[in-house]
Amino acid sequence: MKKTIALWAALTAATLLVTGCTAERPPAAVAPPKTTAAPADPSAADPSAVDPSAGNKAPDAAGAPGAAAYRKWGLKPFAPPPAPPAVKPVVRKPGGPVPVISDIPTTEKIVFLTIDDGAEKDAEFVTMMKDLKVPFTMFLTDSAIRADYAYFAPLVAQGHGLANHTLTHPNLRTLSQEAQRKEICGQQTKLAQRYGTTPRLFRPPYGNWNEATRAAAGSCGVDALVLWRESMQIKNMQYQRGDKKLHPGDIILAHFRGPSELKGRTMTEMTATMLRRIQEQGFTVARLEDYV
């Protein structure tokens, strides 16, 4: 009997050696798994993880929103933007003038969103941007935001760009270079104090600028004057080009506006319409600061 047991044990050990299996270790010696298995039943998972009709993927490690986040706002998911270029296509040369841009040199079907002033402070817009994670750059004017600086802090924390739009929103072409410098540098200081970051980008109010503006902005540490190719109105975009179409690299202008300026529509409704107009033309949205 003992010989039979010994022979069985020897054969078992040989089989384990051939197949590559190993004996089970005690639980304390086994490292916990690093990933969690997907639910066996897809319907038991988060509904945003499965949406064949939208062709959307589940949120990735970077926190990309799922289809459910877009459906909440009546939208379809955006295609992810391409990886930013290794070398930024717009760079201010040391000692050189500040570049003035209305678009970004690229062949990718991407556009860039910019939102000006800061007069409207719609709490739902903060939630919308948190849900959708669509990047945009806000060009803020102190006279428009000073009544509620705190409103913009969550948007900065979400990673959206913070940029300069002067202290009081004047027509800079009517001012001396020194007066322009005070408007621009003054807002650089205020934004840095309030939000902990000094803007690199500047937009002149009304798009009005001259060479004194470039010189003043350069002295304040600005890397680019940012204009635009399209502006979002209440329901449609206003185009500068005759073909009335988006082009790769276009910069789009919108404003922090509410029902009194949008004929009863809210900031979130205007934003959702703008995003639909972008998708209808086959574009997605990229982060402006990755290209300038």
Side-chain angles (χ1 to χ4, degrees):
M1 181 65 176
K2 291 181 179 180
K3 291 182 179 180
T4 301
I5 293 173
L7 178 60
W8 177 84
L11 290 172
T12 301
T15 300
L16 291 171
L17 181 64
V18 171
T19 61
C21 297
T22 55
E24 184 175 286
R25 295 175 181 266
V30 179
K34 294 183 178 180
T35 58
T36 303
D41 178 7
S43 64
D46 184 334
S48 68
V50 181
D51 189 358
S53 64
N56 188 57
K57 297 180 180 179
D60 60 20
Y70 281 88
R71 285 197 299 268
K72 174 181 175 180
W73 299 100
L75 297 166
K76 295 179 181 179
F78 272 97
V87 178
K88 293 183 178 183
V90 178
V91 177
R92 182 188 177 191
K93 297 179 181 179
V98 176
V100 181
I101 58 172
S102 299
D103 49 46
I104 298 295
T106 182
T107 58
E108 302 280 1
K109 292 202 74 175
I110 55 175
V111 294
F112 304 91
L113 300 184
T114 63
I115 308 181
D116 279 13
D117 300 341
E120 177 68 15
K121 302 167 184 67
D122 185 343
E124 284 295 292
F125 177 75
V126 178
T127 302
M128 182 186 206
M129 292 297 99
K130 181 179 179 181
D131 289 345
L132 300 183
K133 296 179 171 62
V134 175
F136 75 95
T137 302
M138 45 190 162
F139 288 82
L140 300 179
T141 298
D142 187 66
S143 60
I145 69 173
R146 67 170 61 128
D148 189 2
Y149 288 119
Y151 171 83
F152 301 92
L155 294 170
V156 174
Q158 290 171 17
H160 300 293
L162 178 70
N164 187 330
H165 199 42
T166 71
L167 288 170
T168 64
H169 207 276
N171 179 353
L172 292 176
R173 287 198 302 226
T174 67
L175 303 181
S176 68
Q177 182 172 319
E178 178 57 22
Q180 293 192 48
R181 192 191 68 78
K182 290 180 179 178
E183 281 282 343
I184 300 168
C185 290
Q187 183 65 337
Q188 290 284 91
T189 300
K190 280 187 175 288
L191 292 174
Q193 290 173 341
R194 291 289 175 179
Y195 304 109
T197 182
T198 301
R200 296 174 42 247
L201 306 180
F202 168 70
R203 172 170 286 153
Y206 317 105
N208 290 343
W209 63 278
N210 53 24
E211 288 304 318
T213 311
R214 295 177 80 180
S219 72
C220 299
V222 168
D223 290 334
L225 262 68
V226 181
L227 304 179
W228 61 90
R229 285 291 186 181
E230 292 83 27
S231 62
M232 183 63 198
Q233 304 303 311
I234 297 174
K235 294 184 180 180
N236 292 295
M237 288 192 195
Q238 188 176 74
Y239 297 87
Q240 292 181 357
R241 299 185 185 92
D243 62 5
K244 299 188 182 301
K245 293 180 181 179
L246 295 174
H247 290 244
D250 278 1
I251 296 170
I252 300 173
L253 165 67
H255 291 84
F256 284 93
R257 289 176 176 164
S260 61
E261 298 87 8
L262 299 175
K263 295 185 178 180
R265 294 168 70 84
T266 65
M267 177 85 182
T268 58
E269 288 172 329
M270 180 273 291
T271 302
T273 300
M274 176 172 60
L275 297 178
R276 289 189 198 101
R277 298 293 177 264
I278 293 168
Q279 286 185 327
E280 288 166 1
Q281 297 185 51
F283 285 79
T284 193
V285 180
R287 185 173 180 270
L288 181 59
E289 287 78 2
D290 290 338
Y291 291 75
V292 182

